[in-house]
Amino acid sequence: MSATKKQEPEAWTVANAKAHLSEVIERAQSEPQMITRNGTPSVVMVSVEEWNRKTERKGSLATFLLSSPLAGAELADARLLDEPRDLAL
């Protein structure tokens, strides 16, 4: 294995997390804590600071679109000039 590969933290089972909730909360203050259900990863507990950092809005949609690599690109936007069809109502 590579020395630079990040080691995954040990996961908690639901029962173990319930029995050691204070410890899970304490550890989540410094790094995310994975909780598994029936051997399958189910949820990750993180600190409020981490949650706020991950969910913070980083700008508007307009700013995102204007900073797109396609901003200013000449895209084909020609429209058909066909007349609408007659519909019997």
Side-chain angles (χ1 to χ4, degrees), residues 1-40:
M1 275 201 284
S2 172
T4 59
K5 184 176 180 182
K6 183 178 178 183
Q7 186 177 5
E8 291 293 323
E10 190 173 318
W12 298 85
T13 63
V14 171
N16 207 9
K18 283 182 182 180
H20 299 95
L21 184 59
S22 293
E23 184 180 352
V24 176
I25 292 171
E26 183 65 31
R27 288 185 181 191
Q29 299 305 311
S30 59
E31 66 179 338
Q33 299 296 300
M34 183 178 301
I35 301 174
T36 62
R37 178 179 283 161
N38 299 323
T40 303

Side-chain angles (χ1 to χ4, degrees), residues 12-72:
W12 298 85
T13 63
V14 171
N16 207 9
K18 283 182 182 180
H20 299 95
L21 184 59
S22 293
E23 184 180 352
V24 176
I25 292 171
E26 183 65 31
R27 288 185 181 191
Q29 299 305 311
S30 59
E31 66 179 338
Q33 299 296 300
M34 183 178 301
I35 301 174
T36 62
R37 178 179 283 161
N38 299 323
T40 303
S42 182
V43 297
V44 175
M45 184 181 290
V46 297
S47 67
V48 171
E49 291 81 14
E50 178 71 8
W51 176 258
N52 289 336
R53 188 178 69 78
K54 293 282 190 183
T55 59
E56 180 182 347
R57 183 173 220 165
K58 303 204 176 18
S60 68
L61 177 59
T63 303
F64 172 77
L65 293 174
L66 288 172
S67 65
S68 166
L70 295 177

